[in-house]
Amino acid sequence: MEAKGKGTRVVIIGTGFVGSSYAYALLNQGVIDEMVLVDLNKEKAEGDAMDLNHGMPFGSPMRIWAGTYQDCSEADLVVITAGANQGPGETRLDLIEKNAKIFRTIVGSVMDNGFNGIFLVATNPVDILSYATWKFSGLPMEKVIGSGTILDTARFRFLLGQYFDVDSRNVHAYIMGEHGDTELPIWSHADIAGKPILTYVDEDNHVNMNELDTIFTNVRDAAYHIIDRKGATYYGIAMGLVRLTKAILRNENSVLTISTLLRGQYGLDDVYIGVPAIVNRQGIREVLELNLSEEEQKKLHHSASVLKEAMKPVHDIV
């Protein structure tokens, strides 16, 4: 275990595709002061630490090393990317039981070393594993954040930007619900620089709802398309995790679609699910409760019911 310096420390648990991509993006963007890589395969973590350190002369100063769970005692943020991956033809929900058992060991090991920071969960099924992490850790729900639909929202904005030929950063639209097959687009609050996208449907003959629905379908099924082609998705989610890391450590009070525990918002309770929330140094400051259409509200409740049903085996573990 290395003594903590004066800066920020992030411990990454799991140095597979997502974990190593996140580490690389953190180094490139110079977000933190200390990065610790923890993996069951210690040699893999050591190799990644060496490789990243060799890029230091081209980037920002940072201390990077392969460590142990002891390093979590001084961490500001523990990011969990470890677990079984989603394979071809496999849904995120298929991974529940095996990854919940893995998480019981991981979270227990982190907490046994006096961790009192914020958990960021990226492993799928992320909503259920975020709930499990909250239960296993005993931390306040504000300090356990799932990556939720942050990537789905980014995919949505990118494809809408492509469709309308505008910078995706000027597209404001959310995907909510499960990070998975029951997620939903919030068309009622989607806009480009303040102009509602549904207005384009009414005013422009070149914009029609069928094409927009196809865009959402491509967002929802993006992981399947990528997995079929290259075996896994990792660059997009790595960038999303860096965005979340910045929002937390820099106390940005940013609105991001993350997975968090609902306690009455949207008429839902005791479920981690993807919703817009304000994120800062304390974790989840506030869940933003949008005025959804009747259809959107119904779909969100359906998504939550699917998650709750799928989570029943996890209750036996937690």
Side-chain angles (χ1 to χ4, degrees):
M1 175 174 154
E2 299 204 20
K4 179 178 168 64
K6 292 182 180 179
T8 50
R9 177 183 295 182
V10 169
V11 176
I12 304 171
I13 300 177
T15 59
F17 287 129
V18 173
S20 57
S21 297
Y22 169 58
Y24 180 64
L26 277 178
L27 175 59
N28 272 295
Q29 297 191 38
V31 180
I32 57 174
D33 301 295
E34 297 182 343
M35 184 195 306
V36 188
L37 307 178
V38 178
D39 198 281
L40 203 57
N41 182 344
K42 293 181 181 179
E43 288 193 347
K44 172 64 165 63
E46 289 170 357
D48 276 331
M50 291 168 65
D51 203 2
L52 291 165
N53 274 312
H54 295 164
M56 198 80 68
F58 308 115
S60 304
M62 187 183 298
R63 296 179 66 224
I64 304 172
W65 70 95
T68 67
Y69 285 110
Q70 286 181 298
D71 293 299
C72 296
S73 63
E74 301 291 339
D76 299 284
L77 191 64
V78 167
V79 182
I80 308 178
T81 65
N85 293 325
Q86 183 181 355
E90 194 172 29
T91 72
R92 294 177 181 95
L93 295 181
D94 290 333
L95 304 173
I96 292 174
E97 200 163 351
K98 51 186 172 184
N99 275 340
K101 289 176 180 175
I102 292 169
F103 264 56
R104 181 172 57 188
T105 300
I106 290 173
V107 176
S109 299
V110 171
M111 297 308 298
D112 285 347
N113 282 282
F115 176 64
N116 193 34
I118 293 171
F119 273 109
L120 180 50
V121 179
T123 308
N124 283 318
V126 69
D127 304 289
I128 291 171
L129 292 178
S130 299
Y131 184 95
T133 299
W134 171 58
K135 285 291 191 180
F136 290 142
S137 68
L139 290 173
M141 52 78 65
E142 295 86 357
K143 290 193 168 190
V144 179
I145 305 171
S147 55
T149 52
I150 191 170
L151 177 56
D152 310 272
T153 291
R155 288 167 171 160
F156 195 35
R157 293 178 180 184
F158 169 76
L159 290 176
L160 286 171
Q162 204 173 45
Y163 181 75
F164 287 98
D165 195 23
V166 297
D167 188 335
S168 59
R169 292 172 297 180
N170 297 121
V171 177
H172 304 284
Y174 299 119
I175 298 292
M176 290 174 58
E178 172 208 356
H179 174 52
D181 296 340
T182 64
E183 65 188 37
L184 61 140
I186 308 302
W187 292 116
S188 64
H189 291 275
D191 69 75
I192 297 172
K195 182 173 181 177
I197 283 177
L198 293 180
T199 301
Y200 285 92
V201 177
D202 296 333
E203 295 178 351
D204 190 337
N205 291 331
H206 299 293
V207 177
N208 67 74
M209 205 63 217
N210 286 337
E211 290 176 345
L212 295 181
D213 286 337
T214 298
I215 285 174
F216 165 65
T217 301
N218 287 333
V219 168
R220 184 195 63 202
D221 298 342
Y224 299 124
H225 299 318
I226 296 169
I227 289 168
D228 284 344
R229 287 162 173 79
K230 59 178 274 188
T233 72
Y234 37 91
Y235 295 138
I237 187 58
M239 294 289 284
L241 292 173
V242 173
R243 179 69 192 90
L244 259 172
T245 302
K246 286 181 179 178
I248 294 166
L249 298 181
R250 295 178 179 176
N251 198 35
E252 289 184 349
N253 290 297
S254 297
V255 177
L256 298 165
T257 47
I258 46 75
S259 186
T260 188
L261 185 73
L262 295 188
R263 289 174 164 168
Q265 300 95 333
Y266 297 101
L268 298 171
D269 189 59
D270 197 38
V271 63
Y272 262 75
I273 197 166
V275 292
I278 299 174
V279 180
N280 64 16
R281 192 62 184 82
Q282 303 308 310
I284 304 297
R285 192 191 92 186
E286 178 186 349
V287 171
L288 296 181
E289 196 164 2
L290 304 179
N291 184 21
L292 303 182
S293 70
E294 187 177 339
E295 183 184 5
E296 289 164 349
Q297 184 80 356
K298 185 177 178 180
K299 286 181 177 178
L300 182 63
H301 276 243
H302 170 67
S303 188
S305 68
V306 168
L307 284 171
K308 283 195 167 188
E309 181 65 28
M311 204 158 64
K312 286 180 178 177
V314 176
H315 285 298
D316 296 332
I317 300 170
V318 300

